[in-house]
Amino acid sequence: MHFIDKLRAGIERGEITTTIRIWQKPCVKSGGTYAMGAGHVRVTGMRPIAIEQITPKMARDSGFDGVIDLLKTARHGHGEKVYFITFEYREGAPKR
């Protein structure tokens, strides 16, 4: 799971623990771990939502100024399915 540079410090501090992704199909799975910098994120939950369900609070909690700011980043590529993902950042390599 990749994050834009402006979000990484907030994720590493534990301030950002959600993301909204627009994909053709799910690209992560609940319980999966994904490298990020010196650590990794572990997906704790994922659910499909309608784009109309994205609230300003969800956008801010994901590290963006608002819904429009979030959508400018999330709307890249050909995806149409929207996913609300929760995760936690952990230092070091994931334990297998």
Side-chain angles (χ1 to χ4, degrees):
M1 178 179 291
H2 299 283
F3 294 92
I4 60 173
D5 289 341
K6 80 172 195 170
L7 300 179
R8 291 185 182 154
I11 292 168
E12 290 174 354
R13 289 190 302 267
E15 296 167 0
I16 298 172
T17 58
T18 64
T19 187
I20 295 171
R21 300 296 173 104
I22 302 174
W23 289 325
Q24 290 181 354
K25 61 182 179 180
C27 296
V28 299
K29 63 180 181 177
S30 189
T33 57
Y34 305 90
M36 189 187 102
H40 64 280
V41 293
R42 185 176 74 80
V43 174
T44 57
M46 181 173 68
R47 64 182 167 94
I49 63 172
I51 200 161
E52 298 82 17
Q53 290 178 284
I54 301 172
T55 65
K57 181 179 183 329
M58 291 167 83
R60 287 190 307 274
D61 289 349
S62 296
F64 293 91
D65 294 332
V67 175
I68 292 171
D69 185 36
L70 179 145
L71 290 176
K72 285 179 184 176
T73 298
R75 280 191 167 155
H76 64 280
H78 303 290
E80 296 180 8
K81 298 176 183 173
V82 183
Y83 300 92
F84 178 74
I85 301 167
T86 57
F87 61 87
E88 58 190 17
Y89 177 79
R90 295 183 178 177
E91 293 287 331
K95 295 178 183 174
R96 300 283 174 192

